[in-house]
Coordinates of all heavy atoms in Angstrom, one line a residue:
T38 N 2.3 8.3 13.9 CA 1.8 9.3 12.9 C 1.4 8.5 11.6 O 1.9 7.4 11.4 CB 2.8 10.4 12.6 OG1 2.2 11.4 11.8 CG2 4.0 9.8 11.9
S39 N 0.6 9.1 10.8 CA 0.1 8.5 9.6 C 0.2 9.4 8.4 O 0.1 10.7 8.6 CB -1.3 8.0 9.8 OG -1.8 7.4 8.5
T40 N 0.4 8.9 7.2 CA 0.3 9.7 6.0 C -1.2 10.0 5.7 O -1.5 11.0 5.0 CB 0.9 8.9 4.8 OG1 2.3 8.8 5.1 CG2 0.7 9.6 3.5
Y41 N -2.1 9.3 6.4 CA -3.5 9.4 6.0 C -4.3 10.0 7.2 O -3.8 10.3 8.2 CB -4.1 8.0 5.7 CG -3.2 7.3 4.7 CD1 -2.4 6.2 5.1 CD2 -3.1 7.7 3.4 CE1 -1.5 5.6 4.2 CE2 -2.2 7.1 2.5 CZ -1.4 6.0 2.9 OH -0.6 5.4 2.0
G42 N -5.6 10.2 7.0 CA -6.5 10.7 8.0 C -7.9 10.1 7.9 O -8.1 9.2 7.1
P43 N -8.8 10.5 8.8 CA -10.1 9.9 8.9 C -10.9 9.9 7.6 O -11.9 9.2 7.4 CB -10.8 10.7 10.0 CG -9.7 11.2 10.8 CD -8.6 11.5 9.8
S44 N -10.6 10.8 6.7 CA -11.3 10.9 5.4 C -11.1 9.7 4.5 O -11.7 9.6 3.5 CB -10.9 12.2 4.6 OG -9.6 12.2 4.3
L45 N -10.1 8.9 4.8 CA -9.8 7.7 4.1 C -9.9 6.5 5.0 O -8.9 6.0 5.5 CB -8.4 7.8 3.5 CG -8.1 8.9 2.5 CD1 -6.6 9.0 2.2 CD2 -8.9 8.7 1.2
L48 N -7.8 3.0 5.1 CA -6.4 3.2 5.4 C -6.2 3.6 6.9 O -5.4 3.0 7.6 CB -5.8 4.3 4.5 CG -5.6 3.8 3.0 CD1 -5.5 5.1 2.1 CD2 -4.5 2.9 2.8
F49 N -6.9 4.7 7.3 CA -6.7 5.2 8.6 C -7.2 4.3 9.7 O -6.6 4.1 10.8 CB -7.3 6.6 8.8 CG -6.9 7.3 10.0 CD1 -5.6 7.8 10.1 CD2 -7.7 7.6 11.0 CE1 -5.1 8.5 11.2 CE2 -7.3 8.3 12.2 CZ -6.0 8.8 12.3
L71 N -2.5 7.4 18.0 CA -2.4 7.6 16.6 C -2.8 9.1 16.3 O -3.8 9.6 16.7 CB -3.4 6.7 15.9 CG -3.6 6.8 14.4 CD1 -2.3 6.6 13.6 CD2 -4.7 5.9 13.8
Y72 N -2.0 9.7 15.4 CA -2.2 11.0 14.9 C -2.3 11.0 13.4 O -1.5 10.5 12.7 CB -1.0 11.9 15.3 CG -0.8 12.1 16.8 CD1 -0.1 11.2 17.6 CD2 -1.4 13.2 17.5 CE1 0.1 11.4 18.9 CE2 -1.2 13.4 18.8 CZ -0.5 12.5 19.6 OH -0.3 12.7 20.9
P73 N -3.3 11.7 12.9 CA -3.5 11.8 11.4 C -2.5 12.7 10.8 O -1.8 13.4 11.5 CB -4.9 12.4 11.3 CG -5.2 13.1 12.5 CD -4.4 12.4 13.6
A74 N -2.4 12.6 9.5 CA -1.4 13.4 8.7 C -1.5 14.9 9.1 O -2.7 15.4 9.1 CB -1.6 13.2 7.2
G75 N -0.4 15.5 9.3 CA -0.4 17.0 9.6 C -0.6 17.4 11.0 O -0.3 18.5 11.4
G80 N 2.2 14.7 6.1 CA 1.8 13.4 5.6 C 3.0 12.6 5.0 O 3.1 11.4 5.2
V83 N 6.6 10.8 7.4 CA 6.6 9.7 8.3 C 8.0 9.0 8.4 O 8.4 8.7 9.5 CB 5.5 8.7 7.9 CG1 5.6 7.4 8.8 CG2 4.2 9.3 7.9
Q96 N 2.5 5.0 10.0 CA 1.9 4.3 8.9 C 2.0 5.1 7.6 O 1.7 6.3 7.6 CB 0.4 4.1 9.2 CG -0.4 3.5 8.1 CD -1.9 3.8 8.1 OE1 -2.3 4.9 8.5 NE2 -2.7 2.8 7.7
T97 N 2.5 4.4 6.6 CA 2.7 5.1 5.3 C 2.8 4.1 4.2 O 2.7 2.9 4.4 CB 3.9 6.0 5.4 OG1 4.0 6.9 4.3 CG2 5.2 5.2 5.5
A98 N 3.0 4.6 3.0 CA 3.3 3.7 1.8 C 4.8 4.1 1.4 O 5.1 5.3 1.1 CB 2.3 3.9 0.7
S99 N 5.6 3.1 1.3 CA 7.0 3.4 1.1 C 7.4 4.0 -0.3 O 8.4 4.6 -0.4 CB 7.8 2.1 1.2 OG 7.6 1.6 2.6
Y100 N 6.5 3.9 -1.3 CA 6.8 4.5 -2.6 C 6.8 6.0 -2.5 O 7.2 6.7 -3.5 CB 6.0 3.9 -3.7 CG 4.5 4.1 -3.7 CD1 3.8 4.8 -2.8 CD2 3.8 3.4 -4.7 CE1 2.5 4.9 -2.9 CE2 2.4 3.6 -4.8 CZ 1.8 4.3 -3.9 OH 0.4 4.5 -3.9
Y101 N 6.2 6.6 -1.5 CA 6.3 8.0 -1.4 C 7.7 8.5 -1.2 O 8.0 9.7 -1.4 CB 5.5 8.5 -0.1 CG 4.0 8.2 -0.2 CD1 3.3 7.8 0.9 CD2 3.3 8.5 -1.4 CE1 1.9 7.5 0.8 CE2 1.9 8.2 -1.5 CZ 1.2 7.8 -0.4 OH -0.1 7.5 -0.4
P199 N -2.7 13.5 -0.2 CA -4.2 13.2 -0.5 C -5.1 14.4 -0.3 O -6.0 14.6 -1.1 CB -4.4 12.1 0.6 CG -3.1 11.4 0.7 CD -2.1 12.5 0.6
F216 N -5.3 7.6 -7.5 CA -5.1 7.5 -6.1 C -5.2 6.1 -5.6 O -4.1 5.4 -5.6 CB -6.1 8.4 -5.3 CG -5.8 8.5 -3.9 CD1 -4.6 9.1 -3.4 CD2 -6.7 8.0 -2.9 CE1 -4.3 9.1 -2.1 CE2 -6.4 8.1 -1.6 CZ -5.2 8.7 -1.1
V217 N -6.3 5.5 -5.4 CA -6.4 4.1 -5.0 C -7.4 3.4 -5.9 O -7.1 2.8 -6.9 CB -6.8 4.0 -3.5 CG1 -6.9 2.5 -3.1 CG2 -5.7 4.7 -2.6
Q245 N 1.0 -2.2 -1.0 CA 1.2 -2.5 0.4 C 1.4 -1.3 1.2 O 2.2 -0.4 0.8 CB 2.4 -3.5 0.5 CG 2.6 -3.9 2.0 CD 3.7 -5.0 2.1 OE1 3.4 -6.1 2.0 NE2 5.0 -4.5 2.2
V246 N 0.7 -1.2 2.3 CA 0.9 -0.1 3.3 C 1.8 -0.7 4.4 O 1.8 -1.9 4.6 CB -0.4 0.4 3.8 CG1 -0.3 1.4 4.9 CG2 -1.3 0.9 2.7
M277 N -7.6 -4.7 6.2 CA -7.7 -3.7 5.2 C -8.0 -4.3 3.8 O -8.8 -3.8 3.1 CB -6.3 -3.0 5.1 CG -6.3 -1.9 4.0 SD -4.6 -1.3 3.6 CE -4.3 -0.3 5.1

Side-chain angles (χ1 to χ4, degrees):
T38 189
S39 176
T40 294
Y41 313 106
S44 63
L45 298 169
L48 291 162
F49 194 68
L71 176 63
Y72 295 86
V83 176
Q96 177 204 34
T97 192
S99 300
Y100 63 4
Y101 294 138
F216 190 60
V217 179
Q245 180 173 272
V246 178
M277 181 191 290

